Amino acid sequence: METHISCLFPEILAMIFSYLEVRDKGRVAQVCTAWRDASYHKSVWRGVEAKLHLRRANPSLFPSLQARGIRRVQILSLRRSLSYVIQGMPNIESLNLSGCYNLTDNGLGHAFVQEIPSLRVLNLSLCKQITDSSLGRIAQYLKNLEVLELGGCSNITNTGLLLIAWGLHRLKSLNLRSCRHVSDVGIGHLAGMTRSAAEGCLSLEYLTLQDCQKLTDLSLKHISKGLTRLKVLNLSFCGGISDAGMIHLSHMTSLWTLNLRSCDNISDTGIMHLAMGTLRLSGLDVSFCDKIGDQSLAYIAQGLYQLKSLSLCSCHISDDGINRMVRQMHELRTLNIGQCVRITDKGLELIADHLTQLTGIDLYGCTKITKRGLERITQLPCLKVLNLGLWQMTESEKVR
């Protein structure tokens, strides 16, 4: 006896449809009434983010999304009032407005006029007209917010961070990339250093301060004192921090990942401070820190040997540094040494002999390596990713 797909119970159809891509989920709803009913089951759409162009009125849009149980929305273009979205989805959990350049404080103010307890994630990246005024609204009405993305919102100042520190006590992730007006004062607000005005965001676990050029080591002091739950800290391109600031970070035992990429004033001394502390880092990025050399690798082997990911692209390291590091780094899974032009086949042989758990290595622009060294690397038993980029074999080295 043959069983046709039309005989399947709606619950079984819904289970099958849940594995489809979003576009295909919509297409199966157009096949027949039975499939449409099955495709509207909330389990089919669990975790899906609706991507919308808000151009003209569509009365059926939000009822349809709510019927599917969709609570995550990304606005690709905004030609209608944002309040149209908020009113249409009162139980919204995630709102992504990244790149909506025409969003203003006025538009956001008209949308956030009462508490929205369900909203946990708000992305305002590259909404360049947003200012501290909007952060006041957010702090007042989005008390349960856990993730706030403000990357590229270049009009945000320390006053805005004070408002965040006053109202968003449940915040776990904050991105302030390229917020050029933010200084040590603002980081002090977040870290609860001004308790008389704001309690602070003391539950923060993920903090991105990339390219915040006004920050100094004082910010790191504030972070180490107040943001003790921090797991991931991105300080890349922060030219104002120095080796001395690493002393403050060296005892943040909750910190997992530290990004110091292109921090020009970080040298071997800074790595020494980190290694001498009580850190349990699993990821460290010091790529393009041109004062980092072989001595840093010795410090890493002594005090940061539990690292699983290490990025040293364009640092002044050599085979000697690799030799001083590899025997202690048994946990290392990812090693990025692209554009380290002093590394030769000898260094690759040391890596192949000792870093046997390596799953990924970046050798982009390592111009002194040859086929011999690469053959050793490719024999690593767990290797899945090998980036060579600019490396080229000579005619005599090519496999024939």
PDB file of all heavy atoms in Angstrom, residues 181-206:
ATOM      1  N   HIS A 181      32.880  59.914  19.815  1.00  0.00           N
ATOM      2  CA  HIS A 181      32.799  60.875  20.912  1.00  0.00           C
ATOM      3  C   HIS A 181      32.888  60.216  22.290  1.00  0.00           C
ATOM      4  O   HIS A 181      33.003  60.912  23.305  1.00  0.00           O
ATOM      5  CB  HIS A 181      31.501  61.673  20.831  1.00  0.00           C
ATOM      6  CG  HIS A 181      31.380  62.498  19.578  1.00  0.00           C
ATOM      7  ND1 HIS A 181      32.278  63.489  19.254  1.00  0.00           N
ATOM      8  CD2 HIS A 181      30.471  62.458  18.569  1.00  0.00           C
ATOM      9  CE1 HIS A 181      31.925  64.037  18.106  1.00  0.00           C
ATOM     10  NE2 HIS A 181      30.846  63.423  17.666  1.00  0.00           N
ATOM     11  N   VAL A 182      32.824  58.904  22.334  1.00  0.00           N
ATOM     12  CA  VAL A 182      32.860  58.188  23.609  1.00  0.00           C
ATOM     13  C   VAL A 182      34.270  58.236  24.200  1.00  0.00           C
ATOM     14  O   VAL A 182      35.254  57.970  23.502  1.00  0.00           O
ATOM     15  CB  VAL A 182      32.405  56.726  23.411  1.00  0.00           C
ATOM     16  CG1 VAL A 182      32.696  55.897  24.649  1.00  0.00           C
ATOM     17  CG2 VAL A 182      30.923  56.691  23.062  1.00  0.00           C
ATOM     18  N   SER A 183      34.352  58.556  25.482  1.00  0.00           N
ATOM     19  CA  SER A 183      35.651  58.649  26.162  1.00  0.00           C
ATOM     20  C   SER A 183      35.627  57.848  27.457  1.00  0.00           C
ATOM     21  O   SER A 183      34.662  57.129  27.754  1.00  0.00           O
ATOM     22  CB  SER A 183      35.986  60.122  26.451  1.00  0.00           C
ATOM     23  OG  SER A 183      35.146  60.623  27.471  1.00  0.00           O
ATOM     24  N   ASP A 184      36.679  57.997  28.243  1.00  0.00           N
ATOM     25  CA  ASP A 184      36.794  57.282  29.513  1.00  0.00           C
ATOM     26  C   ASP A 184      35.602  57.566  30.435  1.00  0.00           C
ATOM     27  O   ASP A 184      35.171  56.697  31.195  1.00  0.00           O
ATOM     28  CB  ASP A 184      38.081  57.690  30.229  1.00  0.00           C
ATOM     29  CG  ASP A 184      39.336  57.342  29.437  1.00  0.00           C
ATOM     30  OD1 ASP A 184      39.284  56.372  28.647  1.00  0.00           O
ATOM     31  OD2 ASP A 184      40.351  58.037  29.597  1.00  0.00           O
ATOM     32  N   VAL A 185      35.076  58.777  30.361  1.00  0.00           N
ATOM     33  CA  VAL A 185      33.933  59.158  31.205  1.00  0.00           C
ATOM     34  C   VAL A 185      32.735  58.262  30.910  1.00  0.00           C
ATOM     35  O   VAL A 185      32.068  57.769  31.835  1.00  0.00           O
ATOM     36  CB  VAL A 185      33.564  60.641  30.985  1.00  0.00           C
ATOM     37  CG1 VAL A 185      32.287  60.992  31.745  1.00  0.00           C
ATOM     38  CG2 VAL A 185      34.703  61.546  31.431  1.00  0.00           C
ATOM     39  N   GLY A 186      32.453  58.052  29.630  1.00  0.00           N
ATOM     40  CA  GLY A 186      31.329  57.212  29.250  1.00  0.00           C
ATOM     41  C   GLY A 186      31.500  55.772  29.691  1.00  0.00           C
ATOM     42  O   GLY A 186      30.541  55.138  30.163  1.00  0.00           O
ATOM     43  N   ILE A 187      32.707  55.236  29.551  1.00  0.00           N
ATOM     44  CA  ILE A 187      32.966  53.862  29.996  1.00  0.00           C
ATOM     45  C   ILE A 187      32.812  53.781  31.512  1.00  0.00           C
ATOM     46  O   ILE A 187      32.329  52.770  32.048  1.00  0.00           O
ATOM     47  CB  ILE A 187      34.374  53.408  29.565  1.00  0.00           C
ATOM     48  CG1 ILE A 187      34.529  53.517  28.042  1.00  0.00           C
ATOM     49  CG2 ILE A 187      34.627  51.979  30.022  1.00  0.00           C
ATOM     50  CD1 ILE A 187      33.470  52.771  27.246  1.00  0.00           C
ATOM     51  N   GLY A 188      33.193  54.839  32.208  1.00  0.00           N
ATOM     52  CA  GLY A 188      32.988  54.895  33.657  1.00  0.00           C
ATOM     53  C   GLY A 188      31.512  54.796  34.025  1.00  0.00           C
ATOM     54  O   GLY A 188      31.139  54.119  34.988  1.00  0.00           O
ATOM     55  N   HIS A 189      30.643  55.454  33.235  1.00  0.00           N
ATOM     56  CA  HIS A 189      29.204  55.339  33.473  1.00  0.00           C
ATOM     57  C   HIS A 189      28.750  53.893  33.339  1.00  0.00           C
ATOM     58  O   HIS A 189      28.016  53.377  34.194  1.00  0.00           O
ATOM     59  CB  HIS A 189      28.428  56.209  32.470  1.00  0.00           C
ATOM     60  CG  HIS A 189      28.649  57.677  32.619  1.00  0.00           C
ATOM     61  ND1 HIS A 189      28.832  58.286  33.841  1.00  0.00           N
ATOM     62  CD2 HIS A 189      28.688  58.675  31.691  1.00  0.00           C
ATOM     63  CE1 HIS A 189      28.994  59.592  33.665  1.00  0.00           C
ATOM     64  NE2 HIS A 189      28.906  59.846  32.374  1.00  0.00           N
ATOM     65  N   LEU A 190      29.157  53.233  32.258  1.00  0.00           N
ATOM     66  CA  LEU A 190      28.754  51.842  32.038  1.00  0.00           C
ATOM     67  C   LEU A 190      29.220  50.923  33.159  1.00  0.00           C
ATOM     68  O   LEU A 190      28.523  49.977  33.541  1.00  0.00           O
ATOM     69  CB  LEU A 190      29.330  51.338  30.705  1.00  0.00           C
ATOM     70  CG  LEU A 190      28.817  51.978  29.416  1.00  0.00           C
ATOM     71  CD1 LEU A 190      29.561  51.394  28.220  1.00  0.00           C
ATOM     72  CD2 LEU A 190      27.317  51.771  29.251  1.00  0.00           C
ATOM     73  N   ALA A 191      30.411  51.216  33.686  1.00  0.00           N
ATOM     74  CA  ALA A 191      31.017  50.352  34.705  1.00  0.00           C
ATOM     75  C   ALA A 191      30.552  50.690  36.118  1.00  0.00           C
ATOM     76  O   ALA A 191      31.036  50.099  37.086  1.00  0.00           O
ATOM     77  CB  ALA A 191      32.541  50.454  34.623  1.00  0.00           C
ATOM     78  N   GLY A 192      29.605  51.638  36.243  1.00  0.00           N
ATOM     79  CA  GLY A 192      29.056  51.969  37.564  1.00  0.00           C
ATOM     80  C   GLY A 192      29.954  52.837  38.412  1.00  0.00           C
ATOM     81  O   GLY A 192      29.841  52.825  39.639  1.00  0.00           O
ATOM     82  N   MET A 193      30.831  53.596  37.760  1.00  0.00           N
ATOM     83  CA  MET A 193      31.730  54.467  38.513  1.00  0.00           C
ATOM     84  C   MET A 193      31.037  55.750  38.969  1.00  0.00           C
ATOM     85  O   MET A 193      31.593  56.504  39.769  1.00  0.00           O
ATOM     86  CB  MET A 193      32.957  54.832  37.663  1.00  0.00           C
ATOM     87  CG  MET A 193      33.835  53.655  37.250  1.00  0.00           C
ATOM     88  SD  MET A 193      34.624  52.809  38.643  1.00  0.00           S
ATOM     89  CE  MET A 193      33.723  51.252  38.663  1.00  0.00           C
ATOM     90  N   THR A 194      29.827  56.011  38.457  1.00  0.00           N
ATOM     91  CA  THR A 194      29.062  57.198  38.863  1.00  0.00           C
ATOM     92  C   THR A 194      27.727  56.743  39.430  1.00  0.00           C
ATOM     93  O   THR A 194      26.661  57.058  38.884  1.00  0.00           O
ATOM     94  CB  THR A 194      28.855  58.143  37.660  1.00  0.00           C
ATOM     95  OG1 THR A 194      28.337  57.385  36.538  1.00  0.00           O
ATOM     96  CG2 THR A 194      30.158  58.798  37.248  1.00  0.00           C
ATOM     97  N   ARG A 195      27.769  55.975  40.516  1.00  0.00           N
ATOM     98  CA  ARG A 195      26.572  55.370  41.091  1.00  0.00           C
ATOM     99  C   ARG A 195      25.521  56.404  41.498  1.00  0.00           C
ATOM    100  O   ARG A 195      24.330  56.102  41.543  1.00  0.00           O
ATOM    101  CB  ARG A 195      26.951  54.526  42.309  1.00  0.00           C
ATOM    102  CG  ARG A 195      27.703  53.246  41.976  1.00  0.00           C
ATOM    103  CD  ARG A 195      26.784  52.257  41.253  1.00  0.00           C
ATOM    104  NE  ARG A 195      27.472  51.018  40.908  1.00  0.00           N
ATOM    105  CZ  ARG A 195      27.554  49.969  41.708  1.00  0.00           C
ATOM    106  NH1 ARG A 195      26.992  50.011  42.904  1.00  0.00           N
ATOM    107  NH2 ARG A 195      28.181  48.881  41.312  1.00  0.00           N
ATOM    108  N   SER A 196      25.944  57.624  41.830  1.00  0.00           N
ATOM    109  CA  SER A 196      24.983  58.651  42.223  1.00  0.00           C
ATOM    110  C   SER A 196      24.050  59.003  41.075  1.00  0.00           C
ATOM    111  O   SER A 196      22.910  59.442  41.295  1.00  0.00           O
ATOM    112  CB  SER A 196      25.720  59.913  42.683  1.00  0.00           C
ATOM    113  OG  SER A 196      26.559  60.405  41.651  1.00  0.00           O
ATOM    114  N   ALA A 197      24.509  58.807  39.839  1.00  0.00           N
ATOM    115  CA  ALA A 197      23.700  59.144  38.664  1.00  0.00           C
ATOM    116  C   ALA A 197      23.151  57.909  37.963  1.00  0.00           C
ATOM    117  O   ALA A 197      22.045  57.945  37.416  1.00  0.00           O
ATOM    118  CB  ALA A 197      24.536  59.956  37.675  1.00  0.00           C
ATOM    119  N   ALA A 198      23.908  56.826  37.961  1.00  0.00           N
ATOM    120  CA  ALA A 198      23.488  55.624  37.244  1.00  0.00           C
ATOM    121  C   ALA A 198      24.153  54.399  37.844  1.00  0.00           C
ATOM    122  O   ALA A 198      25.337  54.431  38.192  1.00  0.00           O
ATOM    123  CB  ALA A 198      23.846  55.736  35.764  1.00  0.00           C
ATOM    124  N   GLU A 199      23.372  53.317  37.939  1.00  0.00           N
ATOM    125  CA  GLU A 199      23.886  52.083  38.545  1.00  0.00           C
ATOM    126  C   GLU A 199      24.947  51.416  37.679  1.00  0.00           C
ATOM    127  O   GLU A 199      25.864  50.785  38.165  1.00  0.00           O
ATOM    128  CB  GLU A 199      22.729  51.118  38.784  1.00  0.00           C
ATOM    129  CG  GLU A 199      23.132  49.830  39.480  1.00  0.00           C
ATOM    130  CD  GLU A 199      21.947  48.927  39.744  1.00  0.00           C
ATOM    131  OE1 GLU A 199      20.864  49.458  40.044  1.00  0.00           O
ATOM    132  OE2 GLU A 199      22.099  47.694  39.644  1.00  0.00           O
ATOM    133  N   GLY A 200      24.813  51.560  36.356  1.00  0.00           N
ATOM    134  CA  GLY A 200      25.752  50.922  35.440  1.00  0.00           C
ATOM    135  C   GLY A 200      25.172  49.670  34.809  1.00  0.00           C
ATOM    136  O   GLY A 200      24.122  49.171  35.217  1.00  0.00           O
ATOM    137  N   CYS A 201      25.858  49.176  33.793  1.00  0.00           N
ATOM    138  CA  CYS A 201      25.444  47.938  33.098  1.00  0.00           C
ATOM    139  C   CYS A 201      26.343  46.806  33.571  1.00  0.00           C
ATOM    140  O   CYS A 201      27.183  46.293  32.826  1.00  0.00           O
ATOM    141  CB  CYS A 201      25.537  48.130  31.583  1.00  0.00           C
ATOM    142  SG  CYS A 201      24.483  49.443  30.943  1.00  0.00           S
ATOM    143  N   LEU A 202      26.172  46.420  34.791  1.00  0.00           N
ATOM    144  CA  LEU A 202      27.115  45.514  35.437  1.00  0.00           C
ATOM    145  C   LEU A 202      26.959  44.063  34.997  1.00  0.00           C
ATOM    146  O   LEU A 202      27.775  43.215  35.371  1.00  0.00           O
ATOM    147  CB  LEU A 202      26.974  45.622  36.957  1.00  0.00           C
ATOM    148  CG  LEU A 202      27.087  47.047  37.528  1.00  0.00           C
ATOM    149  CD1 LEU A 202      27.078  47.011  39.040  1.00  0.00           C
ATOM    150  CD2 LEU A 202      28.329  47.756  37.010  1.00  0.00           C
ATOM    151  N   SER A 203      25.914  43.779  34.201  1.00  0.00           N
ATOM    152  CA  SER A 203      25.721  42.422  33.684  1.00  0.00           C
ATOM    153  C   SER A 203      26.337  42.230  32.305  1.00  0.00           C
ATOM    154  O   SER A 203      26.190  41.156  31.708  1.00  0.00           O
ATOM    155  CB  SER A 203      24.222  42.089  33.621  1.00  0.00           C
ATOM    156  OG  SER A 203      23.663  42.053  34.918  1.00  0.00           O
ATOM    157  N   LEU A 204      27.025  43.244  31.788  1.00  0.00           N
ATOM    158  CA  LEU A 204      27.615  43.143  30.453  1.00  0.00           C
ATOM    159  C   LEU A 204      28.579  41.967  30.352  1.00  0.00           C
ATOM    160  O   LEU A 204      29.440  41.779  31.204  1.00  0.00           O
ATOM    161  CB  LEU A 204      28.361  44.430  30.096  1.00  0.00           C
ATOM    162  CG  LEU A 204      27.549  45.555  29.436  1.00  0.00           C
ATOM    163  CD1 LEU A 204      28.442  46.775  29.207  1.00  0.00           C
ATOM    164  CD2 LEU A 204      26.947  45.098  28.109  1.00  0.00           C
ATOM    165  N   GLU A 205      28.426  41.196  29.263  1.00  0.00           N
ATOM    166  CA  GLU A 205      29.316  40.072  28.980  1.00  0.00           C
ATOM    167  C   GLU A 205      30.096  40.278  27.685  1.00  0.00           C
ATOM    168  O   GLU A 205      31.172  39.711  27.523  1.00  0.00           O
ATOM    169  CB  GLU A 205      28.505  38.778  28.893  1.00  0.00           C
ATOM    170  CG  GLU A 205      27.822  38.400  30.206  1.00  0.00           C
ATOM    171  CD  GLU A 205      27.000  37.132  30.086  1.00  0.00           C
ATOM    172  OE1 GLU A 205      26.949  36.558  28.971  1.00  0.00           O
ATOM    173  OE2 GLU A 205      26.412  36.712  31.101  1.00  0.00           O
ATOM    174  N   TYR A 206      29.548  41.088  26.775  1.00  0.00           N
ATOM    175  CA  TYR A 206      30.178  41.334  25.475  1.00  0.00           C
ATOM    176  C   TYR A 206      30.225  42.840  25.235  1.00  0.00           C
ATOM    177  O   TYR A 206      29.186  43.497  25.215  1.00  0.00           O
ATOM    178  CB  TYR A 206      29.391  40.648  24.346  1.00  0.00           C
ATOM    179  CG  TYR A 206      29.200  39.166  24.548  1.00  0.00           C
ATOM    180  CD1 TYR A 206      28.128  38.670  25.290  1.00  0.00           C
ATOM    181  CD2 TYR A 206      30.109  38.255  24.005  1.00  0.00           C
ATOM    182  CE1 TYR A 206      27.963  37.316  25.491  1.00  0.00           C
ATOM    183  CE2 TYR A 206      29.944  36.893  24.201  1.00  0.00           C
ATOM    184  CZ  TYR A 206      28.880  36.427  24.948  1.00  0.00           C
ATOM    185  OH  TYR A 206      28.727  35.078  25.147  1.00  0.00           O
TER     186      TYR A 206
END
